[in-house]
Amino acid sequence: MRAPIVIILAAGQGTRMKSTTPKVLHEIAGRSLLGHVIEAAATLEPEHLVVVVGSGKDQVIAHLDEIAPWVVTVEQEQRNGTGHAVRIALEFLEGRGVSASESPVVVLTGDTPLLTGSSLTNLLKSHVDGRAQATVLTANFVDPFGYGRIIRSGDLVTGIVEEKDATPQQREIQEINSGMYAFDGAALHTAVTGLNSHNSQGEEYLTDVIGIMTADGGVVIGIGAQDTNDIMGINDRAQLAQAAAIMRDRINVKWMQAGVTMLDPASTWIDIDAELAADVTLLPQTILRGPTAIEAGAQIGPGTTLISSEVGANAIVRHTWAELVVIGAGATVGPYTYLRPGTVIGESGKAGAFVEMKNSQLGAGSKVPHLSYVGDATIGEGTNIGAGTVFVNYDGVEKHHTTVGNHVRVGSDNMLIAPIVIGDGAYTAAGSVITDDVPAGSMAVGRAQQRNILKWVLRKRAGTSSAKAAERALETEQ
Ligand code: UD1
Ligand code: CA
């Protein structure tokens, strides 16, 4: 069998989304609706894949350049119907010296993100095995309202009639047209040139090619979708949410079958590009976005969002938001930790409660346990950063870097005014403002000497509860 040509129709406006973003660019599971359809179509290894664009074409074309530069686009300037769109795609290919006449042509729409490669493979195989001029992917719906209905005579399909053009009797038919088809290229080419727009919508209906083919004695078959979700089209935000939930369940089942434990799959959202090892545990309300990778034995959540990040084996990440971050094996992060791009937590390192880090590398076994901001820093191994420390990286105009060596002990509540270097094994006193480099092995003290003004409260706050408490204490001392 020759590799098929795939045409994806995506010129429509998607008015019901009520969005400035073209409908097919809305996302589920971290990929555009159109991106999901292209991914499914790619399993057919098409010789050519043409996307028909129109409404919002500049955005759609820019998106395709980014995610699938191998596909080509053709503009349908006037939305004259699905048949017109397919005709334009075939003419475009001809103009490039590609004849569709010798290949199967698969027609899809850009708004069916739940379509799977296996549904398409099955469609194409049935089509080729059945030696049909057209094979329509169908489904039986309890409520078929709005869809084209499949007219059959015995096993064969004789036509498709649109809801708006159907007789009351035809509207009773529950077998609907998914809008996905495999065609014999030559038969499709002939049929689309014979289309007219004598119908209730004044459009060239692709569905009319079925009647044209069968009238000429061609064989058209209809095969049921393996999973009716596969053909679900997105028209509005409610359907977008439904499809997202179905996709979430599919992704979660796949990972659970691969050995991932999920306490609450319904609140666990994993993008299509994530990679999880066996024996990962995901606690409720975990969101893994982009190409996030989690190694074996790691425990993520509850309440954690990881974006395009890596987590090493056996790490624990609780109540955390992290983007473009690497968390080493055996490290612990959270709860309530904010890790911004460029943060690397070394093996067995720790970023604890209420810690924010940005563009900073924390060496193996080093710890930032509590209430700190670490920005633009390189921290060595085995170092401890005391509670409430701030890496003061911003002078109001520029950002500066701080280097902290190995086995350093930064005291609690330090301000480390960048740029500075703290040498290996150095200590800094609690409450210090460190403005100069600290040589290896030194103790840096950067704070005012304490001064006690004796009996100040007794004199200046006489009669207060504090003064009375002090008097009692001083009496018993005597
Ligand atoms: C179409 C089918 C209907 C089927 C349904 C499945 C026709 C005439 N009807 O109806 O039998 O049950 O899909 O969802 O084909 N498009 C273009 N250019 C156009 C018109 C449409 O690119 O000029 C694209 C749209 O962006 C969309 C797809 O084609 O992706 C389907 O168009 P739409 O108007 O939604 O068709 P339906 O009325 O839903
Ligand atoms: Ca329509």
Side-chain angles (χ1 to χ4, degrees):
M1 185 190 73
R2 282 194 61 150
I5 289 170
V6 175
I7 299 171
I8 300 178
L9 308 184
Q13 223 184 327
T15 325
R16 282 172 283 171
M17 294 298 279
K18 306 230 165 70
S19 178
T20 54
T21 303
K23 177 169 81 173
V24 294
L25 299 193
H26 283 260
E27 290 189 356
I28 64 175
R31 182 178 283 166
S32 66
L33 303 183
L34 183 55
H36 284 288
V37 178
I38 289 173
E39 188 72 16
T43 59
L44 299 177
E45 297 180 3
E47 195 181 339
H48 299 278
L49 192 154
V50 186
V51 179
V52 181
V53 298
S55 190
K57 71 171 167 46
D58 294 339
Q59 276 168 279
V60 176
I61 290 170
H63 176 67
L64 289 173
D65 283 345
E66 204 181 301
I67 65 153
W70 55 278
V71 313
V72 293
T73 55
V74 58
E75 184 184 357
Q76 184 193 26
E77 282 171 27
Q78 298 271 319
R79 248 66 79 215
N80 291 336
T82 48
H84 178 247
V86 168
R87 187 151 62 77
I88 281 181
L90 293 179
E91 282 165 8
F92 167 79
L93 287 170
E94 263 168 44
R96 296 185 138 207
V98 178
S99 163
S101 299
E102 275 136 51
S103 320
V105 177
V106 173
V107 175
L108 307 172
T109 56
D111 61 357
T112 53
L114 300 176
L115 181 62
T116 60
S118 70
S119 278
L120 281 182
T121 312
N122 191 42
L123 170 70
L124 190 56
K125 188 173 182 307
S126 305
H127 175 72
V128 173
D129 292 351
R131 297 173 188 279
Q133 290 204 344
T135 303
V136 187
L137 192 63
T138 74
N140 281 297
F141 281 0
V142 179
D143 176 17
F145 180 81
Y147 286 93
R149 307 297 206 285
I150 304 293
I151 315 291
R152 280 182 184 268
S153 167
D155 270 355
L156 297 180
V157 174
T158 55
I160 300 175
V161 59
E162 292 305 291
E163 169 85 32
K164 287 178 179 149
D165 303 291
T167 63
Q169 240 174 347
Q170 289 169 328
R171 288 192 185 134
E172 298 290 310
I173 298 171
Q174 291 186 322
E175 189 181 13
I176 61 95
N177 170 27
S178 69
M180 305 178 194
Y181 325 77
F183 291 106
D184 171 79
L188 177 65
H189 187 272
T190 310
V192 287
T193 50
L195 290 175
N196 62 53
S197 33
H198 305 153
N199 51 54
S200 65
Q201 300 188 78
E203 292 178 354
E204 289 180 38
Y205 289 169
L206 179 60
T207 45
D208 285 350
V209 304
I210 305 303
I212 294 173
M213 287 170 174
T214 52
D216 283 353
V219 170
V220 177
I221 54 182
I223 64 154
Q226 292 164 314
D227 175 350
T228 52
N229 287 332
D230 287 11
I231 63 161
M232 177 181 175
I234 309 300
N235 294 309
D236 59 31
R237 310 265 183 162
Q239 289 169 331
L240 186 71
Q242 278 169 17
I246 294 166
M247 180 72 79
R248 176 203 61 208
D249 292 346
R250 284 183 181 178
I251 292 170
N252 288 352
V253 165
K254 177 187 96 173
W255 288 121
M256 288 189 278
Q257 282 169 351
V260 171
T261 294
M262 287 180 202
L263 259 73
D264 182 21
S267 76
T268 303
W269 295 83
I270 305 173
D271 276 1
I272 203 111
D273 291 330
E275 282 292 334
L276 310 183
D279 288 325
V280 162
T281 299
L282 303 181
L283 298 175
Q285 293 177 331
T286 290
I287 300 176
L288 306 179
R289 287 168 51 190
T292 289
I294 318 279
E295 302 277 347
Q299 181 183 308
I300 315 294
T304 292
T305 298
L306 303 180
I307 305 165
S308 304
S309 293
E310 290 171 31
V311 179
N314 302 315
I316 295 176
V317 183
R318 286 179 283 219
H319 286 290
T320 291
W321 182 287
E323 177 167 11
L324 288 166
V325 159
V326 177
I327 296 168
T332 59
V333 174
Y336 312 111
T337 304
Y338 180 30
L339 302 180
R340 293 162 53 197
T343 298
V344 178
I345 308 290
E347 209 178 303
S348 304
K350 176 173 181 165
F354 304 102
V355 167
E356 174 177 346
M357 294 181 69
K358 181 213 83 168
N359 188 31
S360 293
Q361 295 80 50
L362 185 67
S366 288
K367 292 177 177 162
V368 188
H370 338 267
L371 300 156
S372 292
Y373 172 63
V374 181
D376 300 307
T378 307
I379 300 170
E381 297 180 359
T383 285
N384 192 79
I385 307 296
T389 291
V390 174
F391 284 62
V392 183
N393 60 333
Y394 186 46
D395 63 12
V397 180
E398 284 179 66
K399 302 283 167 69
H400 301 280
H401 191 263
T402 298
T403 303
V404 179
N406 300 322
H407 300 282
V408 170
R409 299 286 176 265
V410 171
S412 291
D413 190 32
N414 273 213
M415 297 290 133
L416 306 180
I417 315 289
I420 49 163
V421 176
I422 300 179
D424 289 349
Y427 275 52
T428 68
S432 288
V433 178
I434 304 294
T435 55
D436 296 319
D437 289 355
V438 181
S442 315
M443 159 63 94
V445 185
R447 65 185 186 209
Q449 195 72 39
Q450 182 173 328
R451 185 162 73 100
N452 295 336
I453 305 169
L454 298 179
K455 297 191 179 169
W456 184 93
V457 177
L458 280 68
R459 293 196 303 278
K460 300 286 192 186
R461 297 290 182 267
T464 65
S465 58
S466 301
K468 286 174 187 161
E471 275 160 12
R472 285 194 295 274
L474 291 169
E475 268 164 30
T476 53
E477 258 176 40
Q478 280 165 0

Coordinates of all heavy atoms in Angstrom, one line a residue, residues 8-14 16 23-24 51-55 76 78-86 88 107-112 136-137 144-150 160-165 176-181 199 201 203-208 231-235, ligand 1:
I8 N -6.0 17.8 6.7 CA -6.6 18.1 8.0 C -7.3 19.5 7.8 O -6.7 20.5 7.4 CB -5.6 18.2 9.2 CG1 -4.9 16.9 9.4 CG2 -6.3 18.7 10.4 CD1 -3.9 16.9 10.5
L9 N -8.6 19.5 8.0 CA -9.4 20.7 7.8 C -9.4 21.6 9.1 O -9.8 21.1 10.1 CB -10.9 20.4 7.4 CG -11.1 19.4 6.2 CD1 -12.5 19.2 5.9 CD2 -10.3 19.9 5.0
A10 N -8.9 22.8 8.9 CA -8.8 23.6 10.1 C -9.0 25.1 9.8 O -8.3 26.0 10.3 CB -7.4 23.4 10.8
A11 N -9.9 25.4 8.8 CA -10.0 26.7 8.4 C -11.1 27.4 9.1 O -11.2 28.7 9.1 CB -10.3 26.8 6.9
G12 N -12.0 26.7 9.8 CA -13.1 27.3 10.5 C -12.8 28.2 11.6 O -11.6 28.2 12.1
Q13 N -13.8 29.0 12.0 CA -13.5 30.0 13.0 C -13.5 29.6 14.4 O -12.8 30.1 15.3 CB -14.5 31.1 12.8 CG -13.9 32.5 12.8 CD -15.0 33.6 12.7 OE1 -16.0 33.4 12.1 NE2 -14.8 34.7 13.4
G14 N -14.4 28.6 14.7 CA -14.5 28.1 16.1 C -15.2 29.2 16.9 O -14.8 29.5 18.1
R16 N -17.8 29.4 18.7 CA -18.4 29.1 20.0 C -17.3 29.0 21.1 O -17.7 29.0 22.3 CB -19.1 27.7 19.9 CG -20.5 27.9 19.3 CD -21.2 26.6 19.0 NE -20.6 25.9 17.9 CZ -20.9 24.6 17.5 NH1 -21.7 23.9 18.3 NH2 -20.4 24.1 16.5
K23 N -9.5 28.2 17.4 CA -9.9 27.0 18.1 C -8.9 25.9 18.2 O -8.6 25.3 19.2 CB -11.2 26.4 17.5 CG -11.7 25.2 18.2 CD -13.1 24.8 17.7 CE -13.1 24.1 16.4 NZ -14.5 23.6 16.1
V24 N -8.3 25.6 17.0 CA -7.4 24.4 17.0 C -6.1 24.6 17.7 O -5.3 23.7 17.9 CB -7.1 24.0 15.5 CG1 -8.3 23.4 14.8 CG2 -6.4 25.1 14.7
V51 N -2.5 20.9 5.9 CA -3.5 21.5 6.8 C -4.1 22.6 6.1 O -3.4 23.5 5.6 CB -2.8 21.9 8.1 CG1 -3.9 22.6 9.0 CG2 -2.1 20.8 8.8
V52 N -5.5 22.6 6.0 CA -6.2 23.7 5.4 C -6.5 24.8 6.4 O -7.1 24.5 7.4 CB -7.5 23.2 4.7 CG1 -8.2 24.4 4.1 CG2 -7.2 22.1 3.7
V53 N -5.9 25.9 6.2 CA -6.0 27.0 7.2 C -6.9 28.2 6.7 O -7.0 28.3 5.4 CB -4.6 27.5 7.7 CG1 -3.8 26.4 8.3 CG2 -3.9 28.1 6.5
G54 N -7.4 29.0 7.5 CA -8.2 30.1 7.1 C -8.3 31.1 8.2 O -7.4 31.9 8.4
S55 N -9.3 31.0 9.1 CA -9.4 31.8 10.2 C -8.2 31.7 11.1 O -7.8 30.6 11.5 CB -10.7 31.4 11.0 OG -11.0 32.3 11.9
Q76 N -7.5 28.5 2.7 CA -8.9 28.5 2.1 C -9.4 29.9 2.4 O -9.7 30.2 3.5 CB -9.7 27.4 2.7 CG -11.1 27.4 2.1 CD -12.1 26.5 2.9 OE1 -11.9 26.4 4.1 NE2 -13.1 26.0 2.2
Q78 N -12.1 31.7 1.3 CA -13.5 31.7 1.6 C -13.9 30.4 2.2 O -13.6 29.3 1.6 CB -14.3 32.0 0.3 CG -14.0 33.3 -0.4 CD -14.9 34.4 0.1 OE1 -16.1 34.1 0.4 NE2 -14.3 35.5 0.4
R79 N -14.6 30.4 3.3 CA -15.1 29.1 3.9 C -16.3 28.6 3.2 O -17.4 28.8 3.6 CB -15.4 29.3 5.4 CG -14.4 28.6 6.3 CD -13.0 29.1 6.3 NE -12.8 30.3 7.1 CZ -12.0 31.3 6.7 NH1 -11.3 31.3 5.6 NH2 -11.9 32.4 7.5
N80 N -16.1 28.0 2.0 CA -17.2 27.5 1.2 C -17.6 26.0 1.5 O -18.2 25.4 0.7 CB -16.8 27.7 -0.3 CG -16.8 29.1 -0.7 OD1 -17.4 30.0 0.0 ND2 -16.1 29.4 -1.7
G81 N -17.1 25.5 2.6 CA -17.5 24.2 3.0 C -16.4 23.2 3.0 O -15.3 23.4 2.4
T82 N -16.7 22.0 3.6 CA -15.7 21.0 3.8 C -15.2 20.4 2.5 O -14.1 20.0 2.3 CB -16.2 19.9 4.7 OG1 -17.5 19.5 4.3 CG2 -16.3 20.3 6.2
G83 N -16.2 20.3 1.5 CA -15.8 19.7 0.2 C -14.9 20.7 -0.6 O -13.9 20.3 -1.2
H84 N -15.2 22.0 -0.4 CA -14.4 23.0 -1.1 C -13.0 23.0 -0.5 O -12.0 23.1 -1.2 CB -15.1 24.4 -0.8 CG -14.3 25.5 -1.4 ND1 -13.7 26.5 -0.5 CD2 -14.0 25.9 -2.6 CE1 -13.1 27.4 -1.3 NE2 -13.3 27.1 -2.6
A85 N -12.9 22.8 0.8 CA -11.6 22.8 1.5 C -10.7 21.6 1.0 O -9.5 21.8 0.8 CB -11.8 22.7 3.0
V86 N -11.4 20.4 0.8 CA -10.6 19.3 0.4 C -10.2 19.5 -1.1 O -9.1 19.2 -1.5 CB -11.5 18.0 0.5 CG1 -10.8 16.8 -0.3 CG2 -11.6 17.6 2.0
I88 N -9.5 22.3 -2.6 CA -8.4 23.3 -2.5 C -7.1 22.5 -2.2 O -6.0 22.8 -2.8 CB -8.7 24.4 -1.5 CG1 -9.6 25.4 -2.2 CG2 -7.4 25.1 -1.1 CD1 -9.9 26.6 -1.3
V107 N -8.9 12.1 5.3 CA -9.4 13.5 5.6 C -9.8 13.5 7.1 O -10.6 12.7 7.6 CB -10.6 13.9 4.7 CG1 -11.1 15.3 5.1 CG2 -10.1 14.0 3.3
L108 N -9.3 14.5 7.8 CA -9.5 14.7 9.2 C -9.9 16.1 9.5 O -9.7 17.0 8.7 CB -8.3 14.3 10.1 CG -7.7 12.9 9.8 CD1 -6.3 12.8 10.5 CD2 -8.6 11.8 10.2
T109 N -10.4 16.4 10.7 CA -10.6 17.8 11.1 C -9.6 18.1 12.3 O -9.2 17.2 13.0 CB -12.0 18.0 11.6 OG1 -12.3 17.1 12.6 CG2 -13.0 17.8 10.4
G110 N -9.3 19.4 12.4 CA -8.3 19.8 13.4 C -8.7 19.9 14.8 O -7.9 20.2 15.7
D111 N -10.0 19.6 15.1 CA -10.5 19.8 16.4 C -10.9 18.5 17.2 O -11.8 18.6 18.0 CB -11.7 20.8 16.4 CG -12.9 20.2 15.5 OD1 -12.7 19.1 15.0 OD2 -13.9 20.9 15.4
T112 N -10.3 17.4 16.8 CA -10.6 16.1 17.5 C -9.4 15.6 18.2 O -8.8 14.6 17.7 CB -11.1 15.1 16.4 OG1 -10.1 15.0 15.4 CG2 -12.4 15.5 15.8
V136 N -15.9 5.6 5.8 CA -16.3 6.7 6.7 C -16.2 6.1 8.1 O -16.7 5.0 8.4 CB -17.8 7.1 6.5 CG1 -18.1 8.3 7.4 CG2 -18.0 7.4 5.0
L137 N -15.5 6.8 9.0 CA -15.5 6.5 10.4 C -16.8 7.0 11.1 O -17.1 8.2 11.0 CB -14.3 7.1 11.1 CG -13.9 6.6 12.5 CD1 -13.5 5.1 12.4 CD2 -12.7 7.4 13.0
P144 N -27.8 12.1 18.4 CA -27.0 12.4 17.2 C -27.2 13.8 16.7 O -26.7 14.2 15.7 CB -27.6 11.4 16.2 CG -29.0 11.2 16.6 CD -29.1 11.4 18.1
F145 N -27.9 14.7 17.4 CA -28.2 16.0 17.0 C -27.0 16.8 16.5 O -26.0 16.8 17.1 CB -28.9 16.8 18.1 CG -29.3 18.2 17.6 CD1 -30.4 18.5 16.9 CD2 -28.5 19.3 17.9 CE1 -30.8 19.7 16.5 CE2 -28.8 20.6 17.5 CZ -29.9 20.8 16.7
G146 N -27.2 17.4 15.3 CA -26.1 18.2 14.8 C -25.1 17.5 13.8 O -24.4 18.2 13.0
Y147 N -25.1 16.2 13.9 CA -24.1 15.5 13.1 C -24.8 15.1 11.7 O -26.0 15.0 11.7 CB -23.7 14.2 13.8 CG -22.7 14.4 14.9 CD1 -23.2 14.6 16.2 CD2 -21.3 14.5 14.7 CE1 -22.3 14.8 17.3 CE2 -20.5 14.7 15.7 CZ -20.9 14.8 17.0 OH -20.1 15.0 18.0
G148 N -23.9 14.8 10.7 CA -24.4 14.2 9.5 C -24.8 12.7 9.8 O -24.2 12.1 10.6
R149 N -25.9 12.3 9.2 CA -26.4 10.9 9.5 C -26.0 10.0 8.3 O -26.0 10.4 7.2 CB -27.9 10.8 9.6 CG -28.5 11.8 10.6 CD -28.0 11.5 12.1 NE -29.0 12.0 13.0 CZ -29.2 13.3 13.3 NH1 -28.5 14.2 12.7 NH2 -30.2 13.7 14.1
I150 N -25.6 8.7 8.7 CA -25.2 7.7 7.7 C -26.4 7.0 7.1 O -27.2 6.4 7.9 CB -24.2 6.7 8.4 CG1 -23.1 7.4 9.1 CG2 -23.8 5.6 7.4 CD1 -22.1 8.1 8.2
I160 N -24.6 10.5 3.0 CA -24.6 11.1 4.3 C -25.5 12.3 4.2 O -25.3 13.1 3.2 CB -23.1 11.6 4.7 CG1 -22.2 10.3 4.8 CG2 -23.2 12.3 6.0 CD1 -20.7 10.7 5.1
V161 N -26.3 12.5 5.1 CA -27.2 13.7 5.1 C -27.0 14.6 6.3 O -26.9 14.0 7.4 CB -28.7 13.3 4.8 CG1 -29.2 12.4 6.0 CG2 -29.6 14.5 4.7
E162 N -26.8 15.8 6.1 CA -26.6 16.8 7.2 C -27.9 17.0 8.0 O -29.0 17.0 7.4 CB -26.1 18.1 6.6 CG -24.7 18.0 6.0 CD -23.7 17.5 7.0 OE1 -23.3 18.1 8.0 OE2 -23.2 16.3 6.8
E163 N -27.7 17.2 9.3 CA -28.8 17.5 10.2 C -29.8 18.5 9.5 O -31.0 18.3 9.5 CB -28.3 18.1 11.5 CG -29.3 18.7 12.4 CD -30.0 17.6 13.3 OE1 -29.3 16.6 13.7 OE2 -31.2 17.8 13.7
K164 N -29.2 19.6 9.0 CA -30.1 20.7 8.5 C -30.8 20.4 7.2 O -31.7 21.0 6.9 CB -29.2 22.0 8.3 CG -28.8 22.6 9.6 CD -27.9 23.8 9.4 CE -27.5 24.5 10.7 NZ -26.2 25.1 10.6
D165 N -30.3 19.3 6.6 CA -30.9 18.9 5.3 C -31.7 17.6 5.4 O -32.3 17.2 4.4 CB -29.9 18.8 4.2 CG -29.0 20.0 4.0 OD1 -29.6 21.0 3.5 OD2 -27.9 20.0 4.4
I176 N -23.8 8.3 13.1 CA -23.3 9.6 12.7 C -22.0 9.6 11.9 O -21.2 8.7 12.1 CB -23.3 10.6 13.9 CG1 -22.2 10.2 14.9 CG2 -24.6 10.8 14.5 CD1 -20.9 10.8 14.8
N177 N -21.8 10.6 11.2 CA -20.5 10.8 10.5 C -19.5 11.5 11.4 O -19.8 12.6 11.9 CB -20.8 11.7 9.2 CG -19.5 12.1 8.5 OD1 -18.5 11.5 8.6 ND2 -19.6 13.2 7.8
S178 N -18.4 10.9 11.6 CA -17.4 11.5 12.5 C -16.7 12.7 11.8 O -16.0 13.5 12.4 CB -16.3 10.5 12.8 OG -15.6 10.1 11.7
G179 N -16.8 12.7 10.4 CA -16.0 13.7 9.7 C -14.6 13.2 9.4 O -13.8 14.0 8.9
M180 N -14.3 12.0 9.6 CA -13.0 11.4 9.3 C -13.2 10.3 8.3 O -14.1 9.4 8.4 CB -12.4 10.8 10.6 CG -12.3 11.8 11.7 SD -11.6 11.0 13.2 CE -12.0 12.2 14.4
Y181 N -12.4 10.3 7.3 CA -12.6 9.4 6.2 C -11.3 8.9 5.6 O -10.3 9.6 5.7 CB -13.4 10.0 5.0 CG -14.4 11.0 5.3 CD1 -14.1 12.3 5.7 CD2 -15.8 10.7 5.2 CE1 -15.0 13.3 6.0 CE2 -16.8 11.7 5.5 CZ -16.4 13.0 5.9 OH -17.3 13.9 6.2
N199 N -27.7 23.4 -1.0 CA -28.1 22.8 0.3 C -28.4 23.9 1.2 O -28.2 25.1 0.9 CB -27.1 21.9 0.8 CG -25.7 22.5 0.9 OD1 -25.5 23.6 1.4 ND2 -24.7 21.9 0.2
Q201 N -27.0 25.1 3.8 CA -26.0 26.0 4.2 C -25.2 26.7 3.1 O -24.3 27.5 3.3 CB -25.0 25.2 5.1 CG -25.6 24.6 6.3 CD -24.6 24.0 7.3 OE1 -24.0 24.7 8.0 NE2 -24.5 22.7 7.2
E203 N -23.1 25.5 1.0 CA -21.7 25.2 1.1 C -21.5 23.9 0.2 O -22.4 23.2 0.0 CB -21.2 24.9 2.5 CG -21.2 26.0 3.4 CD -20.8 25.6 4.8 OE1 -20.7 24.4 5.1 OE2 -20.7 26.5 5.7
E204 N -20.2 23.7 -0.2 CA -19.8 22.5 -0.8 C -19.6 21.5 0.3 O -18.6 21.6 1.0 CB -18.6 22.7 -1.7 CG -18.8 23.4 -3.0 CD -17.6 23.6 -3.8 OE1 -16.8 22.7 -3.9 OE2 -17.4 24.7 -4.4
Y205 N -20.5 20.5 0.4 CA -20.3 19.5 1.5 C -19.4 18.4 1.0 O -19.6 17.8 0.0 CB -21.7 18.9 1.8 CG -22.7 19.7 2.5 CD1 -24.0 19.2 2.5 CD2 -22.4 20.9 3.1 CE1 -25.0 19.9 3.2 CE2 -23.4 21.6 3.7 CZ -24.7 21.1 3.8 OH -25.7 21.8 4.4
L206 N -18.4 18.1 1.8 CA -17.6 16.9 1.5 C -18.4 15.6 1.6 O -18.2 14.7 0.8 CB -16.4 16.8 2.5 CG -15.5 15.6 2.3 CD1 -14.8 15.6 1.0 CD2 -14.4 15.6 3.4
T207 N -19.4 15.7 2.4 CA -20.3 14.5 2.6 C -21.0 14.1 1.4 O -21.4 12.9 1.2 CB -21.3 14.8 3.7 OG1 -21.9 16.1 3.5 CG2 -20.7 14.7 5.1
D208 N -21.2 15.1 0.5 CA -21.9 14.8 -0.8 C -21.1 13.9 -1.7 O -21.6 13.3 -2.6 CB -22.3 16.0 -1.6 CG -23.5 16.8 -0.9 OD1 -24.1 16.2 0.0 OD2 -23.7 17.9 -1.3
I231 N -13.6 10.3 18.4 CA -14.1 11.2 17.3 C -14.7 12.5 17.9 O -15.2 13.3 17.1 CB -15.1 10.5 16.4 CG1 -16.3 10.1 17.3 CG2 -14.5 9.3 15.8 CD1 -17.5 9.9 16.4
M232 N -14.6 12.6 19.2 CA -15.2 13.8 19.8 C -14.6 15.1 19.3 O -13.4 15.3 19.4 CB -15.0 13.7 21.3 CG -15.5 14.9 22.1 SD -15.2 14.7 23.8 CE -15.8 16.3 24.4
G233 N -15.4 16.0 18.7 CA -15.0 17.3 18.2 C -15.2 18.3 19.3 O -16.2 18.3 20.1
I234 N -14.3 19.3 19.3 CA -14.4 20.4 20.3 C -15.0 21.6 19.6 O -14.5 22.1 18.7 CB -13.0 20.8 20.8 CG1 -12.2 19.5 21.3 CG2 -13.1 21.8 21.9 CD1 -12.9 18.8 22.4
N235 N -16.1 22.1 20.2 CA -16.8 23.3 19.6 C -16.8 24.4 20.7 O -16.8 25.6 20.3 CB -18.2 23.0 19.2 CG -18.2 22.1 18.0 OD1 -17.5 22.3 17.0 ND2 -18.9 21.0 18.1
Ligands
UD1_1 C1 -19.2 18.1 9.4 C2 -19.8 17.1 8.5 C3 -20.8 16.2 9.3 C4 -20.1 15.5 10.5 C5 -19.4 16.6 11.3 C6 -18.5 15.9 12.3 C7 -19.9 18.2 6.4 C8 -20.8 18.9 5.4 N1 -20.5 17.8 7.5 O1 -20.2 18.9 9.9 O2 -21.4 15.3 8.5 O3 -21.1 14.8 11.2 O4 -18.5 17.4 10.5 O5 -18.0 16.8 13.2 O6 -18.7 18.0 6.1 N2 -13.8 23.5 7.5 C9 -13.0 24.1 6.7 N3 -13.4 24.9 5.6 C10 -14.8 25.1 5.4 C11 -15.7 24.5 6.3 C12 -15.2 23.7 7.4 O7 -11.7 24.0 6.8 O8 -15.1 25.8 4.5 C13 -13.3 22.7 8.6 C14 -13.7 23.3 10.0 O9 -12.7 24.1 10.5 C15 -13.8 22.0 10.8 C16 -14.2 21.0 9.8 O10 -13.9 21.5 8.5 O11 -12.6 21.7 11.4 C17 -15.7 20.6 9.9 O12 -16.5 21.8 9.6 P1 -17.8 22.1 10.4 O13 -18.4 23.3 9.8 O14 -17.6 22.1 11.8 O15 -18.7 20.9 10.0 P2 -19.9 20.3 10.7 O16 -21.1 21.2 10.4 O17 -19.6 20.0 12.1

